[in-house]
Amino acid sequence: MISVRYILFVCLHCVTYTLLNCLSVKDQMYENIIANNPCFLRLNGTNQFGCTSARFGNVGTLHLVSNSTDLEWLFNKGKADPYTVALTPKMFNREVLQNIELSTKVNGIMLLMNGTEQEVINNDNLQNNGFSPEDTCPNRYSDVNSCPIKPWNPYGTDILLKSWSFPIFVVYDQNTIKSIINCFKNYNLPLNNQNDQSLCALELKSHMYAAVDSKTCLRRTMMSYQNIRPIKFCDPLGDKNVYWSLKELRPNTPNQSIAIVAARLDATSMFQDLAPGALSTATSIVTLMTTANLISEMLSYKDASNFSRNVMFILFNGEAYDYIGSSRVVYDMLDGNFPNDLIKLNKSHIGMFVELSQIHYDKEVVFYRSMKHNASDDVKNFINTINKSLSDDGFFVTESKSTSIPPSSLHSFLKLDPKFPGIILTGFKDQFKNKYYHSILDNAENIQYNNSTISKTIASISTSLSYSLYKFITNSNYNGLKQANSSYVSKLLDCYVKSMNCEVFQSLTSPLHLPDSPPNYYISIDMITNTLTSLSRLLFASFGSKIINKVQNEEKCLNYRTKQGFVPIWLRGNYNACYSTTSNVTDAVSPAFIIPDYDLSSSEYSTWTESVWHEVQIRMFLRQSLKLQIIIFVLGILVFLFSFIIVKKMNDQSGFYFNNQEVNSVTNF
């Protein structure tokens, strides 16, 4: 009887100790990897693109691939599959990824950005090879013309527009990269002896809920609303377009009286929260903002009111995804709802449309327009004016004779009217100069941010553009001395390239805390307004707006009724007052998601959605050798049999022990 009690006590003690210490055991088994930027799943009306893991993650033996020899060993000699492959940027291309997928030996991929940005570029020769995951002709199915023989994006690999069967993460943290490399060297080498040793392995978890295409995942979401606990599988992409006009927009606007200056407000990349878009997007935004600021100083509201013409600046959102923002503006124009149902602007009111695209630090400007029709007088005058101004400043200015138009918002308007008076002002001829278009490397270094050349180039273009707009409005040349200031341009570049917690944005928002990180230009989902979108609207509102002295607090400001064409806005920071401004927003959500019973397989409008996901995690651990796994399995069976024998014996003798207890109890009583 004593021995049975002792055995029960020991078993209970062991179980209790194990339960109390299971968390620490888990922590000792796994090392969490700092990597919060997975490749995620996006869908359109016909396909899905991106990456996803299995429901509970993908596990694989770590293998470091820095050249083709490492890859060949994996395919031909690797026996410890499935593997998780750690790639250098040089090896992160379409050919390698396709070969990895065809091999069926790989369960996940990590892209290691080992070193500084410039070290990565130099070590992997990316300066010559380029690093763009985009299509060679971005938005090719939404353009009015076909892809030219010399594609716009010669460095495009198209890996952004493919569905991969394994999760992909990018790792930036240098200590984490060292841990991964050390784990591989310490446990996975030599390669020819992997079956006889414990191996370093990784678990990658980034399961996406959506699948197939936008139509399917939206239908599943709607069906789940019938349940007690509905599940969302995906969300439409969307945000806001931001606009500002020199003076208020009014109903009954005269035809061809508005010049629109446009740029895109978004970019994209393969990885979550990593869409730096410096040359793809930011330089054009800064040029547009600098021009808007300068024209507001050249022509005050009072002076501008003396002329019938007006200029409108607009930032389109979602242009990387089949022109979401610009196509919505065109749709709203046709519906009599742009920018609202009172003003009702349409294409006949637009005398000229100028789009800024990929403004480069080189002093080169190229104009593109539809060559199928003659340019309007306003367009001709604009090109001649800005051509003379920039040429005098040492720029090389040309007008492309190509029949194709590069990827741009202008395509949305040309679909509406092939004779639309639009031109594109770019920094490239025939093909992108940007070797990192829509990639994680399109950052400050890509525009030579630390060199003053880019600031001076943007300042010169903004000055010439403002002079041309001044002539459009007043029908006369500008004779003043005002010019764009390169130091102001540098401050704006700080905000749109380096960190949103910058001097200009702080002057509009203080004491609010802004993220001390570069902007993420990804459009996100339609229920969220990006921080950069809101900040851009505030920046527009600081141009030429009139203070409302009678309003002393933010709550009253929001409820204040301004005259038609203006809206009240409270500027914090250095302003700390209520202003009447023309700065406002319109929806940048594709018409496909507001038109009843729209066929999502149609290519007329953008149908992009983003998958919902739950958990993102990478864990590193030691995967036991095959021999040790067999030993543990056999020991487990032996322990089970031993436990079974003890329990059987205790069960057989239980009647004897418990009967004795009952007899003793009766006797003692």
Side-chain angles (χ1 to χ4, degrees), residues 111-115 171-182:
L111 173 59
L112 303 184
M113 306 300 287
N114 193 9
V171 182
Y172 275 94
D173 185 77
Q174 297 302 300
N175 291 329
T176 298
I177 293 174
K178 288 180 182 178
S179 296
I180 293 172
I181 294 174
N182 289 336

Side-chain angles (χ1 to χ4, degrees), residues 624-641:
Q624 305 303 334
S625 66
L626 181 61
K627 290 182 179 179
L628 185 56
Q629 291 181 43
I630 294 173
I631 292 173
I632 293 174
F633 178 72
V634 171
L635 286 175
I637 294 177
L638 293 176
V639 170
F640 169 74
L641 293 175

Side-chain angles (χ1 to χ4, degrees), residues 427-579:
F428 62 86
K429 184 177 182 180
D430 298 332
Q431 292 185 311
F432 295 171
K433 292 179 181 177
N434 188 0
K435 298 180 179 180
Y436 313 119
Y437 184 76
H438 283 175
S439 87
I440 55 178
L441 294 180
D442 187 14
N443 52 22
E445 284 73 16
N446 193 31
I447 61 171
Q448 296 187 7
Y449 171 81
N450 294 324
N451 191 326
S452 61
T453 302
I454 183 64
S455 299
K456 293 178 180 178
T457 299
I458 289 176
S460 296
I461 294 174
S462 298
T463 300
S464 299
L465 184 55
S466 298
Y467 289 175
S468 301
L469 293 172
Y470 181 94
K471 186 173 183 178
F472 173 86
I473 296 170
T474 66
N475 200 30
S476 63
N477 293 323
Y478 177 69
N479 296 318
L481 300 176
K482 292 187 180 297
Q483 294 183 342
N485 191 322
S486 61
S487 62
Y488 178 71
V489 173
S490 296
K491 291 179 181 179
L492 288 184
L493 285 172
D494 281 342
C495 300
Y496 283 97
V497 175
K498 293 292 287 185
S499 172
M500 288 185 286
N501 190 28
C502 60
E503 179 182 343
V504 175
F505 286 164
Q506 283 179 343
S507 70
L508 298 166
T509 60
S510 179
L512 295 181
H513 177 71
L514 296 174
D516 190 16
S517 59
N520 173 31
Y521 284 96
Y522 177 64
I523 182 175
S524 193
I525 59 175
D526 64 342
M527 295 184 298
I528 299 174
T529 298
N530 284 342
T531 303
L532 192 64
T533 302
S534 301
L535 291 172
S536 296
R537 188 198 170 193
L538 292 177
L539 182 57
F540 269 140
S542 68
F543 302 154
S545 299
K546 185 178 180 181
I547 192 170
I548 306 173
N549 291 313
K550 63 177 71 174
V551 178
Q552 300 299 320
N553 62 65
E554 186 171 358
E555 183 178 353
K556 291 182 178 180
C557 179
L558 296 176
N559 297 321
Y560 184 81
R561 295 193 64 179
T562 59
K563 70 176 186 177
Q564 191 178 67
F566 291 92
V567 291
I569 191 168
W570 185 269
L571 298 180
R572 296 183 174 88
N574 298 347
Y575 298 86
N576 198 34
C578 185
Y579 286 82

Side-chain angles (χ1 to χ4, degrees), residues 62 178-190 197-200 622:
L62 175 62
K178 288 180 182 178
S179 296
I180 293 172
I181 294 174
N182 289 336
C183 190
F184 172 76
K185 290 180 177 179
N186 294 336
Y187 296 101
N188 294 12
L189 296 179
Q197 61 193 40
S198 296
L199 300 173
C200 183
L622 281 183

Side-chain angles (χ1 to χ4, degrees), residues 244-246 261 285-299 311-314 356 462-463 465-466 469 484 488 492 539-544:
W244 174 84
S245 56
L246 185 59
V261 181
I285 296 175
V286 171
T287 305
L288 182 144
M289 287 294 187
T290 305
T291 304
N293 183 43
L294 181 56
I295 196 70
S296 70
E297 294 177 353
M298 293 167 57
L299 267 175
V311 59
M312 180 183 188
F313 295 84
I314 185 166
L356 307 175
S462 298
T463 300
L465 184 55
S466 298
L469 293 172
Y488 178 71
L492 288 184
L539 182 57
F540 269 140
S542 68
F543 302 154

